[in-house]
Amino acid sequence: MSDQPTNYNGAPLTESEKHAALFAQLVMQSTSMALMLMGRAPNPMTGKTETDLDGARLFIEQLEMLEAKTRGNLSPEEQHLLKQNLMHGRMSFVETVNAGKNAPKTKPTESAAPAESAEAAQKKFSKSYGEG
C-alpha cells in the first residue's frame, strides 16, 4: 500500500491537486484558529475557551494577504473557499467585538487599550461590509 495521497478514483494526486488540497487546508486552518481565538471553539489542547482578539485578527489579516497575493491565480473553487472563509472570519470578529461591548466587565484591572484596539479592528472589518 502506498503512502502517496490519491484522488477519489484511487489515482495518485497530481502536483496541482496536491497544491489545491494544501491551499484549502491552509485557509481552513487559519479560519479555525481565528474562530478559536475569538472564543467560538475551545482550545483543543486545554479544552478551555479563550479570547485573543489580536491573535484572531492576525489570522484574518493573513487570509487577506493570501487573497491579495494569489489574486488571479486561484481556481474558482479556491477563490470561493477563500472569500467565504474571509467573510465568515470578519463577521465573527465583528460579532465577538460587539458581544464584548455589551458584556459586563468582570476584571476591574482590565486596561482600556485592548478595547480600543478591538474597536478599531471592528471599524476596519465592518467598513468592508458598509456597516460602519
Side-chain angles (χ1 to χ4, degrees), residues 16-60:
S16 178
E17 290 171 326
K18 285 180 198 174
H19 289 164
L22 289 170
F23 178 81
Q25 183 180 24
L26 175 66
V27 169
M28 292 168 61
Q29 272 183 326
S30 294
T31 304
S32 294
M33 287 299 298
L35 293 172
M36 183 187 75
L37 292 171
M38 285 182 242
R40 300 286 177 123
N43 181 325
M45 299 297 286
T46 65
K48 295 180 182 178
T49 302
E50 305 166 359
T51 303
D52 177 1
L53 294 179
D54 290 333
R57 184 177 358 172
L58 176 65
F59 281 102
I60 294 168

Side-chain angles (χ1 to χ4, degrees), residues 1 8 19 24 26 45 58-59 73 75 77 86 95 97 101 111 116 128:
M1 182 172 200
Y8 62 93
H19 289 164
L26 175 66
M45 299 297 286
L58 176 65
F59 281 102
N73 292 313
S75 71
E77 295 83 10
L86 259 172
E95 290 170 3
V97 170
K101 284 183 183 178
S111 74
E116 290 171 357
S128 299

Side-chain angles (χ1 to χ4, degrees), residues 19 87 95 123 127 131:
H19 289 164
M87 185 182 310
E95 290 170 3
K123 287 179 184 174
K127 197 176 234 179
E131 294 174 356

